[in-house]
Amino acid sequence: MNPVFDHKPQVAPASGKDVRGDEEGLESLARRKAVLAGAGTAAALLLALLPAMPAAAHHSWNASETRYAYYVTGTVTYVRWGNPHCQVRLRVEKGAAVPADWAQRPLPPGADETDGHATMVSARPYNGEYQELMLTLAPPDWMGKWGMNRELKVGEHIEAAGFLDVGGGDGLRPVMFWMAGGQGVWQKLTAFPHLPEPAPAESN
């Protein structure tokens, strides 16, 4: 009688290493699939977060000197309404005093009470060298959420309270602004690096 052999061919081990059986091979394949699936999920999560990360950085206050807020008022001379920020150039009334009713003025809709009041208390008249300041405003979608459903127009008169650019320059980042009819529009998306300091009593 011929001996009975296993139907699987017997292969001699190579280089002194054991040949993996079917079960071990299947387990290894399953592990590889699990690792690849996990890597795919992690990559998808990272891609989903990428649009938000630059946006948060882009809208931060790190480029502004948030220790001192300034009150400015004047006439709009240029408007660019769009993403990532709206921009308005303002011909400022140099040395315009903070309004007498400033402390009683209500904050715009949607305002953060703590940061809004801290900005109001810190606001002092702008007496800098520039005749015009470039105001960097929020994106149009956020403007709409805060009640601004139209573009500002050249020739309009507005008031604003905000912070100058770090290191000088003609930029001002408003925390809020008001139109001639009295409508206030909030502008703050992200946290300040630190709360602004109160203005000296004589500055107002």
Side-chain angles (χ1 to χ4, degrees), residues 89-90 92 94 126-133 168-171:
R89 185 168 287 280
L90 189 72
V92 297
K94 297 289 282 294
Y126 174 73
N127 290 306
E129 61 181 298
Y130 296 101
Q131 300 297 318
E132 294 192 351
L133 293 174
D170 65 348

Side-chain angles (χ1 to χ4, degrees), residues 90-102:
L90 189 72
R91 182 179 298 120
V92 297
E93 297 176 11
K94 297 289 282 294
V98 175
D101 65 346
W102 188 246

Side-chain angles (χ1 to χ4, degrees), residues 30-119:
R31 283 196 299 271
R32 286 199 300 271
K33 286 182 177 179
V35 169
L36 290 173
T41 301
L45 287 171
L46 181 60
L47 288 173
L49 290 172
L50 281 176
M53 292 164 59
H58 192 64
H59 296 301
S60 75
W61 295 87
N62 293 333
S64 302
E65 177 49 84
T66 58
R67 286 186 299 169
Y68 313 116
Y70 288 89
Y71 168 82
V72 295
T73 184
T75 304
V76 174
T77 62
Y78 165 85
V79 176
R80 192 196 69 78
W81 211 256
N83 292 316
H85 288 282
C86 298
Q87 289 185 306
V88 169
R89 185 168 287 280
L90 189 72
R91 182 179 298 120
V92 297
E93 297 176 11
K94 297 289 282 294
V98 175
D101 65 346
W102 188 246
Q104 288 74 45
R105 183 176 294 194
L107 295 173
D112 177 289
E113 293 284 332
T114 299
D115 291 349
H117 285 302
T119 302

Side-chain angles (χ1 to χ4, degrees), residues 157-176:
H157 190 275
I158 65 171
E159 301 171 280
F163 307 112
L164 298 173
D165 289 347
V166 171
D170 65 348
L172 182 134
R173 180 91 177 270
V175 177
M176 59 199 113

Side-chain angles (χ1 to χ4, degrees), residues 8-31:
K8 292 185 295 183
Q10 300 299 311
V11 180
S15 304
K17 296 182 180 178
D18 293 335
V19 175
R20 293 181 301 177
D22 288 346
E23 291 183 2
E24 186 180 354
L26 290 173
E27 288 176 3
S28 178
L29 180 60
R31 283 196 299 271

